[in-house]
Each structure stands twice: as structure tokens, then as C-alpha cells.
Amino acid sequence: MAPLPIKFTELLQLSSIGVQASLINGKSEHNFVCVRQVQEGSGNPEVIIVNLKNGNNVMRRPIKADSAIMHYNREIIALKAGGKTLQIFDLAQKSKIKSTTMSEDVVFWKWFNDTHLGLVTDTSVYHWNIFDPAQVSPQKMFERNQNLAGCQIINYRVSDDDKWMVCVGISQQQGRVVGSMQLYSKDRGISQAIEGHAAAFGTYRMEDAPADTKLFTFANRGANGAKLHIVEVDHQQPNPVFTKRAVDIYFPAEATNDFPVAMQVSSKYKVIYMVTKYGFIHIYDLETGTTIFMNRISSDTIFTTTGDSEGAGIVGVNRKGQVLAVSVDEATIIPYLLQNPENAELAYKLASRAGLPGADSLYQQRFEQLLTQGDYQNAAKTAANSPQGFLRTPQTIERFKSVPAQAGQLSVILQYFGMLLDKGKLNQHETLELARPVLQQNRKHLLEKWMKEGKLGCSEQLGDLVRAHDVALAQQIYTEAGASQKVIAAMAESGSFEQILPYSRSVGYTPDFNGLVQHVSRVNPEKAAEFATSIAREDPSLIDVDRILDVFQAQGMIQQATAFLLDVLQADKPGQAHLQTKLLEMNLTNAPQVADAILGNEMFHHYDRARIAQLCEGAGLMTRALEHYDDPASIKRVIVKTDAIPEDFLINYFGRLTVELALECLDEMLKVNIRQNLQAVINIAKKYSDLFGPVHIIDLLEKYRTAEGLYFYLGGIVNVAEDKDVTFKYIEAATKMGQLQEVERVCRESNAYDPERVKNFLKEQKLTEQLPLIIVCDRFNMIHDLVLYLYKNQQFKSIEVYVQRVNPARAPAVVGGLLDVDCDESIIKGLLASISPESVPIDELVSEVESRNRLKLLLPFLEATLATGNQQQAVYNALAKIYIDSNANPEQFLKENNLYDTLEVGRYCQARDPNLAFIAYQKGQNDLELINICNENSMFRQEARYLVERSDSEIWSYVLSENNVHRRSLVDQVIATAVPEAQNPEPVSIAVKAFIDADLPVELIELLEKIVLEPSQFSDNANLQNLLMLTAAKSDRGRVAGYIQQLDAYSPEDIATQCIEVGMYEEAFLIYKKAKDHLKASEVLVDHIVSVDRAHEYADQVDLPEVWSRVAKAQLDGLRITDSVDSYIRAQDPSNFHEVIETATHAGKDEDLIKYLRMARKTLREPAVDTGLAFCYARTNQLPELEEFLRGTNVANIEESGDKAYAEGFHEAAKIFFTSISNWAKLATTLVHLGDYQGAVECARKANSVKVWKQVNEACVEKKEFRLAQICGLNLIVHADELADLVKQYERNGYFDELISVLEAGLGLERAHMGMFTELGIALSKYHPERVMEHLRIFWGRINIPKAIRACEEAHLWPELVFLYTHYDEFDNAALAMIERSADAWEHHTFKETIVKVANLEVYYRALNFYLQEQPPLITDLLQALTPRIDVNRVVRMFEKSDNIPLIKPFLLNVQPQNKRAVNDAINDLLIEEEDYKQLRDSVENFDNYEAVALAQRLEKHDLVFFRQIAANIYRKNKRWDKSIALSKQDKLYKDAIETAAVSARPEVVEELLRYFVDIGSKECYVGMLYACYDLIPLHTVMEISWRHGLNDFTMPFMINYMAQQASAIDSLKKDNEERKAREKSEQKDEETGPILGQSRLMLTQGPVGGYGGQTNGIMPQVTGYGGFR
């Protein structure tokens, strides 16, 4: 039977990558599987994407979408959320492509090609191009038909040309799944409703059709059967009409509800794959609908499918998460079809269109048959369509070429080529055979056309053939053929030099580029340079640069050589030094400008610098020469030629020289031509002044006596120089050059000079203009020297200039200097009058004059200053001082003027008149100075008035500080004078506060009594009265009671509070009593005086409810509960009922509490009141009153009362409480305590609460009421959480049988669960082990087996343990348990059934050891069961080690067909030991996996000849001919020896044996040798032996046969030679007279065949195109 015609592969198991099997619902799209899932325990969904084409690479992405599908072959994902929102993302680029929101929910969506999504809604179908920016939202294609209403859409398909669409849905109708489809034509805009479950579109090229036929396939299973339909859509002329197919679909009998769910058409094999719901795969031929194969590939539903990326098969995903792939098996499908003769034609066509192997003999037979019949056209078609082109050989071409052409028809060979061109690409031989006549007919354009279409098989021979006609086409052919050398030659020949290097790199071929460049340079110099440059730029190692340079120079190609070298030398490597030198020499000689540019770019650094420097100097490139010279003599020789050197370069060049060499060069430049080079020297000196040193440069310039040079050099550096000598030299040079303005500027701006030296120099020069001297003296504060110098030289005008124009701010110093030289006052006054007052610092001027006691001198100047409107403070200060000294009414000036500095003037007055100082300090509020002067002069009254008026708390704090020794004197003046004089309350308040802050209570009381008690405007001030009482409360409590009686304006609340805070409770009580605030007064008595009795008396006096309430609260706090209750009743106040209830309850005052609560119930309806009253009845055992109360209207929390009564042991009361509210649960518990167990059970049944059942059960068990306890227990064990506690309770009390009874009774309950069966089993294992097996056999399916296993292990119940292991699929443990406890648990049949299911292979070998030790007779039976899964070699080693091989002989014989060495060796050893030579012979002949030589050596020494014969056979099988023959000769087994010699096929072995038989005289063996080894014995050997030993008669049969064969061969050769000569003669005649390739007509349209007259080469012109080749 041939193997299956399909390849079935599991590509992936989704569960292996973390996909939950229960959530598998993904999409498969060619290359990807996309699954959306929500992990257990996590609310965040994720999408899992598996790339099937990339090693099943897994991507995980968190998403919020409801659905996701992947693109066919790109990392693009489509997401859908809320049914309407769609988003497309590119995962590779991490970007959003598109998004949209639909107007209705999308119920199905799918990628139907590389660019489009198909979207199906409840009403319409849309297409959305995700790569078209213009298509923002999906485009509506058509509306859904009514036949799809209510259907679940399962697929949507679109044809390849997007003109046909089909939407597939299913629905449940009449107990079966009905398929409905809507087929829509885009061109016609109409739909058709079809009944079907699966559909697909495909194309098929029919025989002789010019174009593909578009087909629509669909499958349907209806009530009347299942059909597959194949119909044509959009028929196109001139294609033949496709015959509609409708074939039956077979469904197995067990698949009554099966139906098709998916369909794919293979574009590669042209077959239809159909998958059904039950996992069956059907394969049909697309053309005929013939069934090719049908089988089941999955036991689970395959819910999604797609075609694979190659168009060969189908990929699907089933509910188990298997990703399955099915495709045609190319190696087996044709043999599979050929098993059935009816499928021969299908196999023939399928092999042709898909290029499948297996039908070669069928094609060969048909080809030969058609040739024999003369049907050359179909024979050509057969050869052209042969699978994998096995008939497209040179022999086939020769056979077609030999067929004569028919008149009026195209030759067979050209028809054959036409068919090949229609089918695809020609091979190399076919292309050569076709190209020759095409080129002969000068129809090169056909080759170009076929070349563009990829129809030709290119070869080097074809390129050689075409090269003579078209180099470009030949180059293309060479490229396709991979003939790199000839491709490059063609490129060079066609001038496409730029293509050579890229091509050679792309193919990895390296031609001789040097020769190519030399050749190109002769043809096209410019191209040669470009070519060489491109090569060098890519890889310099490909060419010899020196050789290329010689080529360019030899042809005078200086420019090209330069361009080439510039590219080659870009890397600037040391090894290229000679080439760099060559490049520069070449250009300095021929093109200095180019060399200058090269050097200027600083491209090279390794050339011969000395040589290049000389060439540069010779070429007039002085700058380049200087750059390259290193010796000082050459540098000085060149550098003096400044007319040929740019100044910028020269300046920069000096920066490269050493300081010594640079100074030598400057000296040389001045010495050679000072007039020409001075300016350059100055510029250089300026630039490198810091480097060379100004001293050296100055010395150099002074050497050549060039003051001009000094001036200009120093002028360039003086602004930045810090050397004082430099600046002085510049001032000196500028003075000599008459540049006084520059001297003035430097003196003004520079800081780098010695002012004393410059001052002396300027004095010595006796300049007509003294401004530089003035500037120097002004800047460096040498005013006195300046004034003295100018005064002595009578240059008063210069002094005026100085103070007026240069620096008026120096006027004070100038005036001081003039006063020091005793200048006339009129001159000074005149000088001051000439200066603007605004520019003179008055304070400095006053200071200068005042220090010399000449202050009155300034009075005119100051008055004039005031007259100008000057408001400077210094002016007024000076005037004040002058008025004070002159006693010109200073008090008025000090009081009225506000612009002087009070502090300065005050200090000026302190020593002269303290009263004036007080006025000044008072005006300026200079507090500290004022206080000090008052203290020093005992001016306390003025100070007290000032402090009250000042009203500054900080100043008060300062003067009232205990550190002030004058505080008492000051306080007395404040109390006696300042405060009584005050009219404004604010200053008084501040003063009082200051006394308070200073902690002066005695003084404060004195002050307040002065204000409040004595008649004044502040006597009725409430604040002051409060303050007086508060102060007295703090410092003198004895006065407070008097103040309470005397004063009425104070605040009672505030004062009483303050009294309470300081402990003056009686005073507070008096204040509240005087204010008639009785509640507060009672609170003082209760809370502070702590006299409840006084409070009670006071309450009795005032008889107010609120007072009684407050007293009641105090009595309650003091645990005087009876009194408190009476007070609350007098107050009729139930508001504090919570505290009263709590306190009275704790104190046991239930009777009093009852009275209080009855009063409270008159006005309140609070649950706490009613609850408290009810509980009081319970506590006082007033049960009738309690029942009456509960029957009446109340808002008591009865359950809470019952709980409290129960907790405190009042069970009868609790029973009343719980009965009144029908709380059966708590009532049951209460009844348990009352001993009414029957009633408790009834209440528990009514309560139906686990907790109640549990409590009642525990009570019943404790009282041994087992019947009632069982009733409770049955209601508990149905709750798995309570079962364990119940079991522990019974076991703890030792009631084992009662526990088993409860559990057994519970097994019949409707709510019986696994835990009950398990716990019963565990209990039985502990207390009744003999009943465990019966329980397990009946209920093993409802038991928690792991728990039962532990219980059986603890109870040592080994058979039961094995039973549980077996039923829990723990076969390993079951087997081990039987082995370890064999005495109790082992049973052979059970063990054998169990051991084959074991997962751990090591258990097998433990089992074998176990059987070997305990059950040897049964070991063969065990091995037979284990054979498929054990390691045979290991078993053999195990039994060899224990020397028990004979025990397993049947097993070894059974597994010997596996041909394992260990088995064969063991069997052979055993057979040798048993001397069973027959079975041993069969063993060594049928099974060759053993150590042959060792076995043969062992057997050849055996005593029995049969074993030695076997050894000889073994030697023969291993081609040890000599050993085999020698052993056969030894035992005279000559027949075996002859057979061995014949099998060896070695003439020397045969000859040796032949001579042996002759030597021993065995003529029969001699004749046998001649017969058996006929082909191996040379004739001359036979004749020699026969002649020498007289064996002619025995040799004659051999000779006769040999001569007969020789004669027959000669006759055959003779006949073949004659036929060949005749054929050659005939062919030579045809070639001389006939056309090439049968009339040499390469026609594409058939026409009449005319003569050859008048045509070039006898060939007719032909029309273009290739339609005739079909």
C-alpha cells in the first residue's frame, strides 16, 4: 500500500506558550496565529502573536480591544473594541496606521488580501484599504441579503481580481446546521442567495486556453445529501466553456451532524481542500471534482483555517490549541493516485501542472506511443508538459528535428519550442537550439523580447553566439549565466566602465584591473581616469597605483593622473610618501597653482618636504617654501622677500618659529630693508608681543633708533599691557612725537604705570598744557602736590580748570590744600563761587573746612546753594551747626526745619546744649539717643511725655527693662504726669500694655487705680476695669472681692473664667451669682469647689430644671445614683439616659433605673431606653412585667437584650426575648442551655443555620443524644467547610461508630459531596479497615483520591492503596506499591495491566528485577507486555549480568527482528551453547548486526562441521574470500568454495581455486568452476590449464559456449556498422539539400510555405510576435 498523499504537520501547540485551552479562540493568517485571552487572576487582556515563519516566535502585547487579527505576512495588527471602533497598528514601526468608528457593530472581519480588510455588519459588507491615505473610512460594497438574517457569519471570501465576493453564514434550523451564502458580483452589482456551508474562489488554465478560467467552488450539506459544486464565473472569450461540476461529498455514518466549515483552493496544485466540523479533510481535483483523499485529521473542531503562504496547502487551529498544516505530499500523491487505474488521467494532469514526480513512466510511455503513431504535435505537448521537464532533453530535440516537416504546417521542432515558451523558461540547450536560427534570420528582437520575459536559459555559449550581433544583449546573457569574465569584457567593449566595479563586487569576481585601465586609457582617457579612480576609491588593493601612474604620465595625462592620485591618496598613509612626492613634483613642474591648492588643503603629510620646499621656492611659491623649510638660513633668505609673501601669512608664520629664530628674522628684515619691512615688523611685534617679550622688541627698535616704530608698536599693546615700563615708554614716545592727546588718554585710562614716575616726568617736561599732569594727580590722589605745584607756579587758571572741568568732586581737597598753603580767603571764595554746587560733595567740603575751624567761610557758599534750590541734607546740617555756634535762634531752626540730619546735629549739640539735642532727637525720633541724653541729664518728665506720645511698645519695653537703673524715676513721672495729661485712650492703652509686658503688677495697679478709681474720662472704661481686676487676681487677690462690689463695667464671663483659671473659685461663684447666671454658678460649685451638697442646696434655692440637671449629672458622676435619679426626675430631664443606664446597670441599681426609664419613656421613644428597661426586668426577674412590656408597643432592641440575657445566664429571659422575635437560631442555643434538646433541634431546623446546627450538634454529642446529634450532623456534613470540624469532634470524644453512621446516612443526601465520601473512607480505614475496599470499589469516582491514598498509607492498606493509585492514573506509584508490598498487593494480571501504563521507564526495569527475584516463570509474559517501550539492549545487559539469558530466550527471539547487536549476540551465544546450528544459520543470515569476524573466528574452531560452515558463510558475507574458501577447503565443502569464488567476482580468487581443484584432481569441481565462474575466467587461463593437465574433454563445453557468443557479437557489430554507414550517408545528403531546422521557418502565424527564391540565405522574412508557438 502506497503511503498517504498528504503531509500532515502540527506546527504549534498553543497551550505550550501559555494559551489557556478553554480560551482558545484565535485567528490564523498565513504566517501568524493571533490569540486574545485574559489570564486567570488578572483582569487585563493580552494578545499573543505567533510567527509561524520565524521559529514560532511569540509576541505578547497588552490590549484593551475585544478582538484582534494579524495581517497575512506583515507585522500589522487590526484591533476592534466595542464592536464599532477599529484601529490598525504597525507593530514593527510602533505606529498607528488608521482608525475609524463604524456606525454599526462589525460581526465578522478578515484580511482578504495584502491591503484590504473585509468587514461584515448586520446589514452591509465593507472593504477598507489600510494603505490608501485617501480612504479614511471603510467603503460599502453591498448590502446583506435576507437569507443571511439571523445567521452567524463564519467566513468572507473575495476573488483575486476583487470582482466577486461571497459571505458565508450558518444557522440552526429544524435540528440541523443550515449554511447560507450571498454571492455578489461587483461589475453587475447583483447578489445571489445560495445554500452552502463553505466556499472559495480559484483559477484554472484549461487545455489550449489563452487565459485562466475563474472558478467558484462551494459545498453544502442539506437534508437530501452533500454536494461540492464547481462553476465558472465571468466567462471570457476565447476560453473554452468550463463544464459545471457537482459531486457528492462522502460523510461517515457516525458523522451524521458533520458539515463543511472551511474551503481553500490551492493555487499551486489546483486542488480543493475542504475541512469539516468533525475534523475531516477532503481533497478534490479542481478541474473534475474527483475525490483525491479523505480522512480525519483532528478529533476536535477546527474553528479557523487559512491557506498557507505558498498556496500549497491549508493551515488550521482546533479547540485543543493545535496549529495543524495539511498539504499535498509531492513525493507520494501520484503513486497514490496510480493505485487506482481510473485515476491515471488525473495523475497524468496533476503531475504535469504541478511538476510532481511519480508519473515519469506514464509520460515516457505516452510520448513514445504518440511518436510511434506520428502524432507529433501531441508528442511535443507531452514533452513540454512533462513533470519537472524530464523529457526536455537534447535527445528529444534531436528526435523532433529529425521529423520531416509537413507541407503547409509549422515544423514540429518549432511547435515544440512554441509550447515551451508558452509554458515558461527554456533550458540552456533549448535556448541555444532556438537562438541559432533566430540570429541567422536577423531577428534579434525576438531574443530581446524573450529575454525580458525571462524565457531563455542563459549560458556562456549563448552569449558567445549573440556577442557578434549585440554586445549589450550578450552582456545581459553573460550576466544571467554567471560568466563574469566575459561580462566585464563586454562592459569594457561597450564603454560601460562605471558598471565594471559594482558588477565584479556583486559577483565576487576580480579581473585584471591594471590591464583594463591601460586598455581604457588608450580608448578614452577621461573614462580611464574615472574608472581607475572608482576602483581605487572602493579598494586600492585591486590596482597597482605606480603602474597606473606610469600609464597616465607616459601619455601626458597630468590632469587625469592628478585626479587619480588625489583619490588614491586620500587616506594619507606613510606608505604612500613616494606617491605624494610624485604628485607634488608633477604639479609644481607643470601646474604650480594646482600644487599650491593641494598644499593649501593640507591633504598630505608624508612627502619629501625638503625637495618640495626647493621646488616651491623655484616656482615662486614663497609661502609654501617657508612652510616646508626647516633650516634657519633658508628661512631668513626667503622671509625678507615680503613683497612676495602675504602679510597675513607672514604674521601667522612667525607664530610657528621659536622666539630666538623669530627675533633673528625680525632683525634680518630691519637690517636688509627697514623702510620696506618696518610696517610688517611692527605688525608681527604687536601680534606676538607677549611671546617675544616687549623688552626684546623695544631693544630691537631702539637699536635702529626708530621712535616712530616704538610709538606704533607700543600703541598697539599699551592698552592691554600690564608692564609699567611699557606704558612709561609709550608716554615718553608719544610726548616726543607731540601726541599730547594720546598722553592724556593713556594717563586717564591706563593703570599700568608708576604715577610718581610719570608725574615727575611730566613736571620735568614743563608742558604748556598741564592736563596730563592734572589727570595723573587726580587719579592717584596727589591733590596736595598738584595744588602746591600749580600754586607755586601761579597757575591759578589750571586750578580752576581742574575743579571746574576735570573733577569738581575734588574741590573739597583743593580748598583744603589752599587753606594749608594759607591762600587768601577771597581766592577760595571766588573759586567756590565758580563751581556748581550740585557737583561739589558738600559734606566733604564742610568736613575739610570744619577740620580747620574755618566753617563760617562757607556761609555765603551755603546760602547761595540754598538759593539755587539745592535741598542737600549736608547744606542744612552745615547751616544748623553755624547757627548753633553763632547762637542765631537755633531752637526755631531746629523745630521748623525738617531737612537736616537730626542724629548728626543732635550729636553736635550734646556737648553744647542738651535741650537743643533733645529737640533734634525728638524731631528725628532718635529714641535711644534721646533716652540716653534724658538719663544723663535727669530729664525724666520730658522723657515720660515723649514715651506716652511716642506710643511705641518696643521703646516702652526698652525703658521698663529691669536693666534700666532710671526705671523707677521714669515710672513715677509716667504715673504722676504723662498719663494723667493724656487725652487720647490709645497711648494710655499702650502704656498700660507696656507695664503688663514688663511684668510690673504693683506699678500697673497703681497706674490703673489712678485712671479708674479716681474720677477721669477713663473711669468707666470696661477694658481698664477688666485689666484692673485681672491684674489684681494675679498679683493681689485680696483686692478682687472689693473690686467686684465697687465696679460694674467689667465683663463677668471673662473675669469669672480668669478667676477659675487662677483658682479663685469663690470669687467666680460671686461673679456668676451677682450676674444671675445660676447654671454657671452651679457648675462652679460642682466642678471647682466640688461641693455637691452646696450645689444641691443652691438648686433647691433657685429651683430651675437646668440646675437640677447639672446637679443630677454631678451626683451621677459621684455614683450617688439614687440621688441622681431623684434630681433627674425633679428636672424631668431624660437626655442623659445613655450614661444613666450604663452607670446604674454597672452599679446594680435596677430598681432606681426602672423609675428613671419609666420617666424617660414619657417623652422619649429611644431603643436604648426601651432596651434598658426590658433588660432591667430581666435582671430583676420580673418576667411577667417583661412579657407584658414586650407585648406592648416598644422600640427595644430585643435581640441585643436577648444576647445580653443569654451571655449573663438569664436563659429564661433570653427565651422570652428570642421567642418574641422568632429568632430560632438563638432560641435553639438557649434551649440547649435549658436542656430542651428536642426543642433546640426543632428550632435549629426552623433557623436552618450552619452555626446553629453546629452548636446544637455539639450540645447533643456532649449529652450523648446521638439520634438528635445525627439529625444536626446530616445538616452539617453537606457543607464541606464544616465536615472536618464535625469529624474531629466525634473522634475527639471517641464516638467512632456514631461518626461512621452519620457519614453513611449522609451519602444518600441530594447534596452529598466528595468530602463526605472521602471522610467516610478515611474513617473506615482507621476504625473498620475490612470495609475500605468495598467502599472504594463502589465510590472511587466520588472520593478525593489523594487524601484517601494518604489514609491507606497510614493504615497500611496496601491492596486498597494500589486500587487508588490505579484509578488516579498514578500507574508508576501503583506498580511500585505492588513491588514493594508484593506479599499483600501483587497480582500478576493486575500488575501487567498497570505496568504498561507507567510513564517512568525506570519502573520497567525495577519490575523486571522484581520478577526475576520473585516470579521467574512469569518474566517472559511480562517482557512480552513491555516490549514496545523498553530498551532491549538494557534488558539484555541486565540478564547477562545476572547470567539469566536462557530465561528470556522467547523474548529475545521475539525482538530479534529489530536487529539490535546486543540481542543478536545474546541469541547467537545461546544457540552456540545449545548447538542449534539450524537456528544459528537463520540468525546470522537474516540479522547482520553482530560482530561478524569475532563470531566467525569462534565458530571456525567449533567441533561440529555445521558451525564451521556457518563461519565460512560469515566470512563470505564480509568479503573475506580467502578465509571463507580456506575454511571450505579444510572441510571439503567444495560447493561452498565455488559459490564463494563466484560471489567474490575477483578473477585472481577464481583462478587460484580453479588451479587448486586441478592440483587435487577434482575434475567435477573443475567443470563446476568453469560453469559457475564463466564470466570471471580468462580464455587463455582455461586453455593453458586444459592443455597442461589434459583436460580438453572437460573444457570443451566452456569453449563451445565461448566461441558461440563471440560469433554472435561479431555479427551484431557488423550489422550495426552497416546501418550506421547508411544512416550517415542519408543524413549527409539531407544536410546538403535541406533547410536548417526543418525549412528554417520560425513563424508565429501559420501560412502557406513558399519557395526560397529571392530570399537572403534562402530564409523567408517572418512576422513578429510569438502567438504561433502555442
Side-chain angles (χ1 to χ4, degrees), residues 1255-1425:
Q1255 291 175 346
V1256 177
N1257 173 263
E1258 290 175 354
C1260 291
V1261 169
E1262 185 178 353
K1263 299 298 182 180
K1264 297 185 180 181
E1265 294 286 343
F1266 294 117
R1267 183 183 65 80
L1268 298 176
Q1270 181 171 336
I1271 295 172
C1272 298
L1274 291 176
N1275 287 277
L1276 284 174
I1277 62 176
V1278 294
H1279 300 282
D1281 296 340
E1282 303 298 331
L1283 180 58
D1285 293 338
L1286 183 135
V1287 170
K1288 288 179 182 178
Q1289 176 191 353
Y1290 274 89
E1291 289 182 336
R1292 186 168 56 248
N1293 292 305
Y1295 305 138
F1296 309 126
D1297 292 337
E1298 288 76 6
L1299 170 63
I1300 292 173
S1301 298
V1302 172
L1303 293 174
E1304 287 178 339
L1307 297 185
L1309 297 176
E1310 183 180 354
R1311 296 173 61 190
H1313 54 81
M1314 179 179 287
M1316 295 163 57
F1317 293 91
T1318 304
E1319 291 296 338
L1320 178 57
I1322 294 172
L1324 291 174
S1325 70
K1326 293 178 181 178
Y1327 313 120
H1328 292 284
E1330 70 279 359
R1331 295 174 55 190
V1332 174
M1333 182 60 81
E1334 179 186 0
H1335 177 72
L1336 295 178
R1337 292 186 187 280
I1338 297 173
F1339 300 116
W1340 69 267
R1342 304 189 68 180
I1343 289 175
N1344 185 335
I1345 294 180
K1347 291 182 67 175
I1349 287 173
R1350 289 195 295 273
C1352 290
E1353 284 179 343
E1354 293 172 358
H1356 293 184
L1357 302 177
W1358 309 119
E1360 290 80 357
L1361 180 65
V1362 171
F1363 178 85
L1364 289 171
Y1365 277 137
T1366 304
H1367 285 77
Y1368 195 52
D1369 293 342
E1370 289 282 349
F1371 301 109
D1372 296 41
N1373 290 331
L1376 291 174
M1378 283 190 273
I1379 291 172
E1380 294 169 356
R1381 307 291 176 182
S1382 58
D1384 299 316
W1386 178 81
E1387 194 277 319
H1388 177 63
H1389 180 71
T1390 304
F1391 185 83
K1392 191 170 70 170
E1393 288 181 350
T1394 303
I1395 195 69
V1396 296
K1397 301 175 183 178
V1398 167
N1400 185 356
L1401 300 183
E1402 292 300 321
V1403 179
Y1404 296 158
Y1405 306 110
R1406 287 192 60 181
L1408 291 174
N1409 280 325
F1410 164 69
Y1411 267 74
L1412 182 62
Q1413 294 172 8
E1414 298 191 13
Q1415 302 292 336
L1418 299 175
I1419 198 167
T1420 303
D1421 191 22
L1422 178 65
L1423 283 169
Q1424 184 176 359

Side-chain angles (χ1 to χ4, degrees), residues 12 49 64 286 322 462 519 550 778 782 946 952 959 966 997 1020 1041 1081 1158 1193 1293 1334 1402 1472 1583 1595:
L12 176 66
I49 304 164
K64 296 182 179 178
L286 181 61
Q322 294 175 293
L462 178 63
H519 169 71
D550 292 341
D778 177 66
M782 295 185 287
Y946 172 79
D952 190 317
V959 298
H966 306 286
D997 294 339
D1020 295 328
R1158 285 175 175 170
T1193 303
N1293 292 305
E1334 179 186 0
E1402 292 300 321
I1472 292 171
M1583 294 180 68
T1595 310

Side-chain angles (χ1 to χ4, degrees), residues 145-172:
N145 264 1
Q146 187 61 34
N147 70 315
L148 292 178
C151 289
Q152 175 191 351
I153 305 302
I154 62 171
N155 211 341
Y156 177 69
R157 308 297 296 270
V158 180
S159 62
D160 291 341
D161 58 2
D162 295 344
K163 292 186 177 180
W164 288 85
M165 303 108 187
V166 62
C167 187
V168 184
I170 57 174
S171 59
Q172 188 78 24

Side-chain angles (χ1 to χ4, degrees), residues 491-523:
M491 290 178 178
E493 185 175 346
S494 62
S496 302
F497 307 114
E498 69 281 355
Q499 300 177 8
I500 293 176
L501 190 59
Y503 172 77
S504 64
R505 191 188 310 110
S506 65
V507 299
Y509 174 73
T510 306
D512 180 9
F513 285 109
N514 296 314
L516 278 173
V517 173
Q518 187 171 2
H519 169 71
V520 174
S521 66
R522 289 193 290 269
V523 178

Side-chain angles (χ1 to χ4, degrees), residues 99-115:
S99 64
T100 189
T101 300
M102 303 289 290
S103 58
E104 52 185 336
D105 288 347
V106 176
V107 298
F108 184 85
W109 61 334
K110 173 178 182 176
W111 296 97
F112 64 81
N113 61 28
D114 282 347
T115 59

